[in-house]
Amino acid sequence: MRVLLAALLAVSTLTPALPAAAQPPEANAPAPTAFERRAAQLVDLLAGRIAYADYFDASFQTAVPKAKFDAITASLIAQYGQPLSLDKATSTNGRSGTILLRFEKGIGTISLEAGADPDAKVFGLLFTHFAMANDDFAKVSTEFAALPGAAGFLVAELDGTAITPLVALHPDTQFAIGSTFKLYVLNELAAQVASGKRKWSDVVPLSHASFSSAGTANWPKGMPVTLQTLANWMISVSDNGATDTLIHLLGRENIEARMTATGHSAPSRNIPFLTTVEAFALKGNNFAAERAAFIAGDDGAQRKLIDTSRDRLVLANVDGVSFSGGPRFIDSLEWFASPNDIARLMRDLRTRGSEPMMAAMAINNGVGPGAGAAWRWLGYKGGSELGVISMSLLGERKSDGKVFVVTASWNNPEAEVATDTMVGLVTRLLALAAK
């Protein structure tokens, strides 16, 4: 390099200078694109040195109000430290692309979209992945243990019927798991298909409407759909109408028996196996007397109560009180499983080897493309309500084909739990398992 530099200097001294008028014009540097400009400002935005309204387009402000954005930012900084610098910004069109942002404790991968004008504001910002520096299972376990309420997790390798734990915290504790229970419904559906009783292509009526049905909201009752469609909606977007239709079609007793057969350590916690509408209704004020009787009763008494109240435990009578305020009866009116129970369920699902079932699990991997990059296949189901969050993944590692379960649950009967904190912790467990 020194020789080359010396040669270049020598040539420059021997070349006569051109007259001023003959000097080639200096090329003007192109103005930064909207993507480049906003990427360069991202550290200052997260550090609070650029105003939220000056950075984000009105459409983003409507979708993600400032209070919510501030809460997300505060959680990120609590987990990963202060934002330090822009490591890399890549865009093919000057409007959208990927950013690598350095924090005190790791690197964040961020997708950013802005308008076409160089001064345009940002209308899309998504934190897709975080890689902690010098992370290990012990650090994640310590952070899980410090969560308010109760939390537990398991990372285990699956090899045939063997389940080999890598790391765990309270793996035998029964936690409320929210919509993760839908994996038990999926397992029974796949089993009935395998037995020849049903086919994935069977067309059935959408028979039971429910609250929070992202896929089937406002669909007419009785609309014909395939079993595969119901399974896809139930798992990928946690559609409750699809779920309740499947529970009634498959039979709650059959699902209970399948759940018990997978090795659930406390199956009575989920007997009778509630539909989403039944759980929502019993949590509300319209069924206070029935709720008290249900909680106090044994499996037989609870089943009788559900059967005799069948015509009233419907969506029209759900008062919605359980969707606001604070956690309600999460230790008695929920679906329950321990991390080890979920691992045994995942083993059963994998052993079943149904391609449509596995495809349904992989539609939404729960952690985004960045965190999923190290996995050849990644299936997911999560669940949440006030005071409850659960995340469970089954993955085939890209490097060697080994299969792992990563499952975690966090319950707090006193206050809401932080979704972004849980996602960050589970994503770190998944990244460590990928190594």
Side-chain angles (χ1 to χ4, degrees):
M1 180 63 72
R2 290 190 182 119
V3 172
L4 178 60
L5 180 59
L8 290 172
L9 288 172
V11 170
S12 68
T13 58
L14 294 174
T15 303
L18 294 172
Q23 293 280 6
E26 186 178 19
N28 292 324
T33 64
F35 173 83
E36 292 169 337
R37 184 167 178 266
R38 297 304 180 182
Q41 295 174 333
L42 193 51
V43 169
D44 287 339
L45 172 76
L46 297 179
R49 294 187 290 269
I50 291 181
Y52 166 88
D54 292 339
Y55 190 85
F56 289 111
D57 181 81
S59 61
F60 184 93
Q61 295 183 45
T62 300
V64 186
K66 185 178 184 301
K68 183 175 182 179
F69 181 78
D70 288 346
I72 293 171
T73 301
S75 178
L76 289 174
I77 291 174
Q79 291 183 70
Y80 304 105
Q82 291 293 330
L84 300 178
S85 63
L86 176 68
D87 271 18
K88 188 177 181 181
T90 305
S91 174
T92 58
N93 58 14
R95 299 187 301 277
S96 63
T98 301
I99 295 167
L100 297 182
L101 200 69
R102 183 170 298 277
F103 290 73
E104 290 175 316
K105 301 178 184 178
I107 301 290
T109 303
I110 302 165
S111 294
L112 184 146
E113 295 182 76
D117 188 274
D119 294 325
K121 295 181 180 181
V122 169
F123 61 82
L125 186 71
L126 179 64
F127 298 89
T128 60
H129 179 56
F130 276 87
M132 291 287 288
N134 304 313
D135 205 12
D136 58 41
F137 284 130
K139 292 179 181 177
V140 182
S141 185
T142 298
E143 293 182 39
F144 259 107
L147 294 173
F153 71 87
L154 170 69
V155 179
E157 182 181 352
L158 297 187
D159 187 5
T161 60
I163 300 174
T164 305
L166 275 67
V167 62
L169 176 71
H170 306 310
D172 292 314
T173 298
Q174 292 290 312
F175 293 99
I177 59 171
S179 286
T180 302
F181 85 88
K182 294 166 185 176
L183 289 175
Y184 286 108
V185 182
L186 182 68
N187 195 24
E188 175 59 19
L189 172 58
Q192 291 192 16
V193 171
S195 72
K197 184 176 181 179
R198 304 185 191 280
K199 294 182 292 194
W200 292 102
S201 59
D202 284 351
V203 176
V204 299
L206 183 68
S207 58
H208 287 76
S210 182
F211 185 84
S212 187
S213 298
T216 62
N218 301 317
W219 284 14
K221 184 177 181 179
M223 180 174 177
V225 288
T226 67
L227 294 182
Q228 179 71 72
T229 298
L230 291 175
N232 288 349
W233 280 125
M234 176 177 69
I235 301 302
S236 66
V237 295
S238 213
D239 188 282
N240 288 327
T243 302
D244 287 3
T245 294
L246 284 172
I247 291 174
H248 283 281
L249 178 71
L250 302 173
R252 78 169 86 230
E253 292 85 356
N254 293 329
I255 299 169
E256 293 162 2
R258 186 70 53 190
M259 172 190 65
T260 303
T262 66
H264 195 292
S265 57
S268 179
R269 297 295 301 272
N270 299 324
I271 295 175
F273 201 89
L274 295 174
T275 66
T276 64
V277 160
E278 289 165 350
F280 297 151
L282 288 171
K283 282 177 179 284
N285 291 334
N286 290 340
F287 293 91
E290 289 84 355
R291 176 174 62 244
F294 184 91
I295 292 173
D298 60 14
D299 292 355
Q302 290 178 342
R303 195 183 298 280
K304 183 178 179 180
L305 186 150
I306 294 296
D307 289 343
T308 57
S309 304
R310 182 185 302 112
D311 294 337
R312 297 189 301 121
L313 294 171
V314 295
L315 181 59
N317 293 329
V318 174
D319 61 14
V321 68
S322 59
F323 309 125
S324 60
R328 290 176 65 85
F329 312 104
I330 66 171
D331 57 350
S332 53
L333 268 173
E334 246 279 353
W335 301 268
F336 299 91
S338 71
N340 275 330
D341 292 335
I342 296 297
R344 289 187 281 266
L345 169 60
M346 290 295 199
R347 177 183 60 187
D348 208 50
L349 290 165
R350 179 171 178 265
T351 302
R352 198 165 300 290
S354 166
E355 290 186 8
M357 179 192 71
M358 303 298 274
M361 293 176 63
I363 293 171
N364 171 14
N365 74 12
V367 292
W375 299 88
R376 186 177 301 157
W377 178 90
L378 193 61
Y380 168 78
K381 187 70 193 83
S384 65
E385 68 163 286
L386 294 174
V388 173
I389 186 167
S390 179
M391 298 178 67
S392 296
L393 298 108
L394 175 66
E396 181 180 342
R397 196 161 62 183
K398 189 177 293 185
S399 61
D400 55 11
K402 291 184 177 181
V403 177
F404 293 86
V405 173
V406 176
T407 180
S409 293
W410 175 16
N411 297 172
N412 187 351
E414 304 300 327
E416 175 63 302
V417 294
T419 299
D420 47 342
T421 297
M422 181 69 158
V423 172
L425 290 170
V426 171
T427 301
R428 289 166 61 190
L429 289 176
L430 188 68
L432 291 166
K435 298 177 180 180

